[in-house]
Amino acid sequence: SPWKPGLPLLLLSPQAFSTTCTRCAKDRRLRRKRAISERQLTRYFVDQRRVRVVGGQGGGGGHSFHSEPRKVFGGPDGGNGGDGGHVIFKADQQMKSLSSVFPFYQGFHGERGGSKNCYGANGAHMYVKVPVGTLVKEDGRVVADLTQHGEEYIAAYGGAGGKGNRFFLSNENRAPKLFTPGEPGQERVLHLELKTTAHAGLVGFPNAGKSSLLRAISRAKPAVAAYPFTTLNPHVGIVHYQDYEQVAVADIPGLIKGAHQNRGLGTAFLKHIERCRFLLYVLDLSVPQPWTQLQDLKYELEAYEKGLSERPCVVIGNKVDLAQSRINLPLLREQVAERVIALSALTGDNLEELLLHLRELYDTYVKTEQSRGQSPVKW
């Protein structure tokens, strides 16, 4: 026996040995994300921003005359000033909100021209990162639509640099004293508008269970409560699959009748559905005649934008754990032509069928985009 007197038997048991300490163990539980209330989330998610942009001013032209021994009248040698820097909006996939965009940006100024025909340095460009799916509007007119990662738009041009007195040298004027200042940069007031670029959009009336469903299939933590309009901001959850594909699902705040006329939360959040490639209609099976919800939702979408209700979709009958919902389920399937997936976001019943069908819709979207020669949106 390897045991020696004075050594406790516990040290020799194979279960007691550990190659790492508890703090460094690989199988320890990951830290959970800090819960953020809906009121706190309003500070982080901003989908509209008014921005004043000014290009950098060009540097002034130089004014000097060359002079050295035996060459007193060397002529003008003032160089041109550098151009001012632009203000450029750049779409970045890591950005998810306009909350980090400041209300004012200005490009860097160009340097002044120097003597000995030295040109001033150009001002550096000011890059402003914005989320993918940002619309840039000026006076209500769309001037740019940044839908791809890395896409850029010059919001304000920098001013041109001034001319030094060397530029004005001519046979008629051998000693020009004229030089010009740099031009001011372009100044504009732009409105940024974010449209969520998710693959799927959860569409439904208030308290249909959209937020609960998003919490069940992803790691997103939207607020859930038993009163209407709990969700005041769109949330995007990522559904992870075993082959490392990621499908983005957006929880759109609840719609009501007349939403296309800006009633309730109105068109402020209908715009987020425009970028969704396919729709998930979430119906409350516990209410009488749940198929009327689908008719009203499609009417609101079609009234807002023609053809929006005809996108690939699936009907989700939520709250199937209730007794009244099980009674309404066969009636709903008789009234609806689309595929109906009955589940319970609260208990997790039949979530697998939704995840499999969601992947089928995503694969169809990817194949369609590739056949058109376009790259599908990846998360």
Side-chain angles (χ1 to χ4, degrees):
S1 173
W3 177 78
K4 296 180 181 180
L7 291 178
L9 290 174
L10 180 61
L11 294 178
L12 298 177
S13 60
Q15 292 83 4
F17 286 108
S18 175
T19 57
T20 57
C21 62
T22 306
R23 183 175 297 178
C24 302
K26 294 183 179 180
D27 58 346
R28 68 181 185 275
R29 295 186 60 183
L30 297 176
R31 294 181 181 178
R32 298 183 61 182
K33 293 192 301 184
R34 181 170 56 90
I36 301 177
S37 65
E38 185 71 15
R39 179 175 296 180
Q40 290 174 318
L41 281 171
T42 56
R43 298 181 305 167
Y44 301 116
F45 187 90
V46 178
D47 60 350
Q48 290 186 358
R49 185 71 87 187
R50 179 179 178 271
V51 183
R52 177 170 165 257
V53 290
V54 180
Q57 184 172 358
H63 175 262
S64 65
F65 289 89
H66 183 71
S67 178
E68 63 181 60
R70 302 178 186 176
K71 199 173 183 181
V72 180
F73 302 102
D77 64 348
N80 298 337
D83 297 334
H86 307 326
V87 179
I88 302 175
F89 292 149
K90 186 174 183 178
D92 191 346
Q93 195 171 1
Q94 300 297 326
M95 303 290 294
K96 303 301 179 184
S97 171
L98 293 174
S99 58
S100 60
V101 177
F102 295 111
F104 175 74
Y105 288 97
Q106 184 173 20
F108 294 95
H109 301 318
E111 293 186 2
R112 184 179 183 85
S115 59
K116 299 181 181 179
N117 297 323
C118 292
Y119 283 27
N122 295 332
H125 300 318
M126 172 69 70
Y127 285 91
V128 182
K129 292 183 179 180
V130 296
V132 176
T134 300
L135 282 178
V136 183
K137 294 184 177 181
E138 185 178 18
D139 298 331
R141 180 175 56 91
V142 178
V143 295
D145 188 1
L146 306 177
T147 59
Q148 299 292 332
H149 175 71
E151 192 173 356
E152 298 179 358
Y153 171 71
I154 301 179
Y157 286 92
K163 303 299 183 182
N165 61 341
R166 171 72 182 184
F167 177 82
F168 299 98
L169 178 64
S170 63
N171 293 330
E172 292 77 15
N173 188 1
R174 304 305 299 173
K177 297 181 179 180
L178 178 64
F179 64 98
T180 59
E183 296 183 1
Q186 184 183 16
E187 182 175 355
R188 303 170 70 185
V189 176
L190 302 175
H191 294 268
L192 304 183
E193 182 178 312
L194 175 61
K195 294 186 178 181
T196 307
T197 56
H199 298 118
L202 296 174
V203 185
F205 285 104
N207 275 90
K210 302 183 299 299
S211 298
S212 300
L213 181 59
L214 186 64
R215 293 170 70 103
I217 64 178
S218 69
R219 294 182 180 179
K221 301 298 179 184
V224 175
Y227 54 85
F229 299 110
T230 309
T231 303
L232 300 178
N233 299 287
H235 297 267
V236 179
I238 308 300
V239 181
H240 299 268
Y241 289 90
Q242 292 183 352
D243 57 351
Y244 304 104
E245 284 289 348
Q246 298 179 357
V247 180
V249 181
D251 175 20
I252 309 299
L255 304 178
I256 63 174
K257 293 183 179 180
H260 68 281
Q261 299 175 349
N262 211 16
R263 294 180 181 177
L265 296 178
T267 59
F269 299 107
L270 274 170
K271 63 187 178 185
H272 292 281
I273 309 177
E274 294 182 37
R275 300 293 175 89
C276 296
R277 273 59 182 182
F278 38 90
L279 304 178
L280 308 179
Y281 294 101
V282 183
L283 309 182
D284 186 358
L285 285 178
S286 62
V287 301
Q289 299 182 348
W291 54 88
T292 59
Q293 302 179 41
L294 180 62
Q295 298 172 359
D296 295 337
L297 289 173
K298 286 191 172 183
Y299 173 78
E300 294 298 329
L301 296 182
E302 194 67 24
Y304 175 73
E305 181 182 345
K306 189 174 182 180
L308 190 58
S309 63
E310 300 176 358
R311 296 188 180 182
C313 65
V314 62
V315 179
I316 300 174
N318 195 17
K319 305 181 182 180
V320 75
D321 53 309
L322 303 178
Q324 185 63 36
S325 301
R326 290 190 288 269
I327 298 175
N328 293 335
L329 178 59
L331 301 177
L332 174 65
R333 286 176 171 165
E334 292 178 0
Q335 298 289 335
V336 175
E338 293 83 357
R339 178 177 178 178
V340 178
I341 299 179
L343 53 83
S344 174
L346 180 63
T347 62
D349 294 339
N350 205 27
L351 287 178
E352 294 82 1
E353 183 180 357
L354 172 62
L355 295 176
L356 291 175
H357 187 66
L358 183 64
R359 181 57 189 272
E360 293 176 2
L361 293 173
Y362 173 76
D363 292 339
T364 304
Y365 155 70
V366 171
K367 293 179 181 178
T368 304
E369 292 294 315
Q370 291 177 350
S371 63
R372 297 175 180 175
Q374 301 178 357
S375 59
V377 177
K378 294 287 185 178
W379 279 74

